[in-house]
């Protein structure tokens, strides 16, 4: 455990009170970095990253406020729990962190106040595993509606129904890509997509997709944000009511494109079929690095 990692502490006396402002065992508040033992921060699962030791029993949990922010990223939600001597500070996903998936340092700003004095402190954790990626967040998907705002596909057609229901541990939930109806002759076919979490650059890559109830001819492929890099198109047809799993191993050319755009990738589902009811149910997908260099 680390004490007072990478930060500062200030005390403002509200009365004529003398207090120790250090991080030693005789300090009023001792801030202890426990992020090395933290579990993964994910949706609905907060994780304790700091411990506050109140050596005078001067504060209650309601007296302590904490703001947390991923260094270089968005704000995290926080909770402070505990008794009169030790408080746990936990962080959890927020609307500002719906694109985060990886290991990050977290900066925390503490404010503890009672009638006698106010203590403010800033600390930075070690690396914390955070998986807050939300495929249903409006900035992480795109269809022809007015909610999804992901950069690609730039020219969407059709709809993504229940876009946040992919990659869920519940096998009964899924998103559905639906092509535009035949009557809309100027927008026939379907083209929808998801922004993907970053992958590590410099490797070979694999895409795993699970789906069912495919009607029409559907393909999947990757693009970057500008839309000027894309992989080959791969078919995900067939399956009926049974869930199908498909593994795609990319060739050397595609591996290089993926590596060069590793934090800037979008998965596109596309069909040129335009009959009524053309759709595919999407259970899950994952792009992962399988090797350290292209073949």
């Amino acid at each position: 455990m680390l004490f007072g990692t990478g930060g500062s502490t200030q005390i403002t006396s509200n009365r004529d009170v003398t207090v120790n402002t250090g991080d030693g065992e005789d300090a009023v508040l001792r801030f202890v970095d426990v992020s090395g033992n933290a579990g993964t921060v994910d949706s609905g699962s907060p994780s304790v990253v700091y411990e506050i030791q109140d050596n005078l029993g001067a504060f209650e949990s309601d007296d302590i406020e904490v703001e947390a922010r991923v260094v270089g990223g968005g704000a995290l939600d926080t909770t402070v729990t505990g008794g009169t001597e030790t408080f746990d500070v936990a962080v959890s996903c927020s609307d500002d962190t719906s694109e985060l998936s990886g290991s990050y340092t977290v900066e925390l700003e503490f404010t503890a106040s009672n009638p006698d004095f106010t203590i403010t402190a800033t600390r930075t954790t070690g690396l914390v595993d955070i998986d807050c990626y939300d495929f249903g967040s409006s900035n992480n998907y795109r269809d022809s509606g007015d909610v999804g705002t992901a950069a690609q596909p730039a020219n969407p057609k059709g709809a993504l129904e229940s876009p946040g229901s992919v990659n869920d541990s519940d096998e009964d939930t899924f998103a559905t890509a639906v092509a535009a109806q035949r009557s809309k002759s100027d927008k026939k076919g379907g083209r929808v997509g998801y922004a993907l979490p970053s992958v590590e650059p410099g490797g070979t890559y694999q895409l795993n997709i699970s789906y069912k109830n495919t009607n029409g001819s559907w393909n999947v492929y990757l693009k970057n944000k500008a839309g000027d890099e894309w992989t080959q198109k791969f078919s995900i047809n067939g399956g009926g009511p049974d869930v199908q799993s498909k593994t795609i191993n990319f060739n050397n050319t595609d591996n290089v494109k993926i590596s060069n755009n590793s934090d800037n990738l979008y998965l596109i589902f596309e069909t040129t079929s335009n009959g009524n009811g053309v759709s595919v149910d999407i259970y899950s997908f994952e792009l992962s690095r399988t090797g350290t260099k292209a073949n």
Side-chain angles (χ1 to χ4, degrees):
M1 294 189 295
L2 304 176
F3 302 101
T5 306
S8 61
T9 305
Q10 293 183 336
I11 293 184
T12 301
S13 179
N14 301 325
R15 299 179 182 177
D16 188 14
V17 178
T18 301
V19 293
N20 184 341
T21 63
D23 271 315
E25 294 184 1
D26 59 344
V28 176
L29 291 183
R30 192 182 190 202
F31 300 92
V32 183
D33 183 354
V34 295
S35 60
N37 299 321
T40 299
V41 179
D42 56 25
S43 180
S45 179
S47 188
V48 175
V49 295
Y50 247 85
E51 182 180 280
I52 303 173
Q53 297 174 359
D54 182 358
N55 291 319
L56 295 182
F59 297 96
E60 301 289 340
S61 59
D62 290 343
D63 299 329
I64 302 172
E65 295 182 359
V66 183
E67 294 183 359
R69 177 174 296 276
V70 172
V71 174
L76 291 160
D77 290 337
T78 62
T79 55
V80 179
T81 58
T84 57
E85 295 182 356
T86 302
F87 304 95
D88 290 330
V89 178
V91 297
S92 56
C93 299
S94 73
D95 291 341
D96 289 341
T97 55
S98 63
E99 295 181 337
L100 293 183
S101 180
S103 296
Y104 306 86
T105 54
V106 178
E107 183 179 84
L108 301 106
E109 296 182 359
F110 303 89
T111 302
S113 185
N114 66 17
D116 292 323
F117 47 83
T118 298
I119 298 176
T120 59
T122 301
R123 298 290 186 271
T124 302
T125 69
L127 287 174
V128 177
D129 291 333
I130 298 177
D131 186 9
C132 293
Y133 206 92
D134 179 7
F135 288 96
S137 177
S138 60
N139 55 327
N140 286 337
Y141 76 92
R142 182 78 176 271
D143 61 8
S144 61
D146 56 4
V147 177
T149 59
Q152 293 295 335
N155 52 344
K157 298 179 181 180
L160 262 175
E161 297 178 353
S162 302
S165 296
V166 294
N167 299 319
D168 195 314
S169 57
D170 186 347
E171 295 183 356
D172 293 327
T173 62
F174 51 87
T176 301
V178 182
Q181 297 298 303
R182 184 189 300 273
S183 60
K184 299 179 180 180
S185 58
D186 60 330
K187 294 184 178 180
K188 290 181 179 179
R191 187 182 300 111
V192 297
Y194 285 96
L196 294 178
S198 299
V199 292
E200 192 173 352
T204 56
Y205 299 91
Q206 185 178 86
L207 177 65
N208 289 289
I209 300 179
S210 295
Y211 61 95
K212 72 171 186 176
N213 290 331
T214 306
N215 298 306
S217 298
W218 288 88
N219 294 316
V220 296
Y221 57 95
L222 301 178
K223 300 188 83 168
N224 69 359
K225 185 175 183 179
D228 56 7
E229 292 276 0
W230 58 89
T231 62
Q232 301 175 75
K233 295 183 178 182
F234 301 90
S235 171
I236 55 167
N237 297 323
D242 297 324
V243 175
Q244 301 292 305
S245 296
K246 181 160 188 169
T247 298
I248 297 169
N249 291 295
F250 295 95
N251 62 25
N252 185 68
T253 299
D254 287 345
N255 281 325
V256 171
K257 290 179 180 180
I258 293 170
S259 178
N260 290 341
N261 296 275
S262 60
D263 60 350
N264 175 25
L265 292 167
Y266 297 79
L267 177 62
I268 310 301
F269 293 82
E270 182 179 69
T271 181
T272 56
S273 302
N274 52 53
N276 293 335
V278 175
S279 63
V280 58
D281 294 337
I282 308 164
Y283 272 88
S284 64
F285 48 81
E286 181 182 18
L287 177 68
S288 58
R289 193 177 79 155
T290 58
T292 56
K293 62 180 180 179
N295 294 325

